[in-house]
Amino acid sequence: MSRAIFKNPLTSSHLWHVIDASGHRVGRLATKISELLRGKHKPIYDRSVPLECGDYVVVLNAHKVEFTGKKWDQKMYRKHSGYPGGLKETLAKDMLVENPEHIIRHAVMGMIPKNNSKFYLGQRLKIYDGIFNPHQGQITATPSSPLALNIGPFVEQQIQPSQEQIDEYYAGYKLQINNDSQSFDILETKVRSHKDQLKRERRLLRKKRVGELKPLRSPPKKEEIDN
């Protein structure tokens, strides 16, 4: 890429992105932050100059991040002093109390390429436990851009299918659903398993038909066997 494009102040200016980590999963949030730090969301992205393309990211409410499954009790953060017996292990739930900023930074730094620019990209990541941060001046001073990304608290997506979609999905099945969610989940599992079984049967039938249409190989002649 030509370096002349970086002389334009609209493209060379580093943006400031504000992210509220409340309710977000650590891994999914770290992927977004790593892309913003490297500038992969910009059309002028050039991997040879990540410091010119990358932006600043401010993460708030670091203590409100979430892990899936049982990672709070299973995930372990380890560090070693370099001396014999100097290994220190900390559970994720204990790290959330001691240093919640380290949880996000550790995930983000693991997604950045291991090269000379990794340290400088990590300096552009600002993580705070609350909603107050000392970067309001820089955030307001940057020019407005459609590439600026401000992510709020995590909101779970609500799926409300229409009655026509429900009838089409459960076509051919006798529905007996109570008001509780447990009975609905049981019915949903039965319908999915039945549809998967039909797919397997159709797949086997297609393979069988293809095998029947294959030409039969004629047995070798006696002369070929003697040779």
Side-chain angles (χ1 to χ4, degrees), residues 29-208:
L29 184 64
T31 54
K32 295 179 181 179
I33 296 175
S34 62
E35 291 179 357
L36 295 175
L37 291 176
R38 299 178 61 193
K40 295 190 70 174
H41 61 292
K42 295 182 178 180
I44 64 168
Y45 170 70
D46 188 358
R47 63 180 182 179
S48 63
V49 283
L51 297 179
E52 298 292 339
C53 302
D55 295 334
Y56 293 85
V57 180
V58 179
V59 182
L60 308 177
N61 293 326
H63 64 286
K64 295 183 180 180
V65 292
E66 295 291 341
F67 272 123
T68 57
K70 301 179 180 179
K71 293 186 179 68
W72 288 118
D73 298 323
Q74 296 177 351
K75 186 174 179 61
M76 198 79 68
Y77 292 93
R78 298 178 176 88
K79 66 178 182 179
H80 204 287
S81 63
Y83 294 92
L87 177 63
K88 184 178 181 181
E89 298 179 341
T90 306
L91 283 173
K93 61 180 181 181
D94 298 332
M95 184 63 71
L96 183 66
V97 178
E98 298 176 5
N99 189 8
E101 296 86 356
H102 178 73
I103 296 178
I104 300 177
R105 186 174 294 276
H106 181 270
V108 173
M109 298 306 290
M111 298 181 182
I112 296 178
K114 282 68 176 175
N115 49 31
N116 296 333
S117 62
K118 180 178 180 179
F119 172 77
Y120 301 100
L121 292 177
Q123 289 182 335
R124 295 181 178 179
L125 177 59
K126 317 294 183 180
I127 306 175
Y128 299 97
D129 195 6
I131 60 175
F132 300 102
N133 62 90
H135 306 289
Q136 291 297 331
Q138 293 93 330
I139 295 172
T140 56
T142 54
S144 60
S145 172
L147 297 176
L149 182 63
N150 296 323
I151 302 177
F154 176 76
V155 179
E156 188 173 359
Q157 185 178 4
Q158 300 292 335
I159 302 176
Q160 296 181 355
S162 61
Q163 188 63 33
E164 296 179 357
Q165 294 175 343
I166 295 176
D167 297 339
E168 182 180 358
Y169 183 79
Y170 293 106
Y173 297 95
K174 295 181 179 180
L175 301 181
Q176 294 180 357
I177 304 177
N178 300 329
N179 294 328
D180 56 340
S181 59
Q182 183 177 3
S183 59
F184 181 80
D185 294 338
I186 294 174
L187 177 64
E188 177 74 12
T189 304
K190 290 182 179 179
V191 172
R192 287 186 178 180
S193 61
H194 182 249
K195 289 190 175 184
D196 293 340
Q197 183 179 359
L198 293 177
K199 289 181 181 179
R200 288 193 295 268
E201 292 177 357
R202 296 193 194 100
R203 194 180 301 113
L204 292 175
L205 183 60
R206 287 196 298 269
K207 290 183 178 180
K208 184 178 179 181

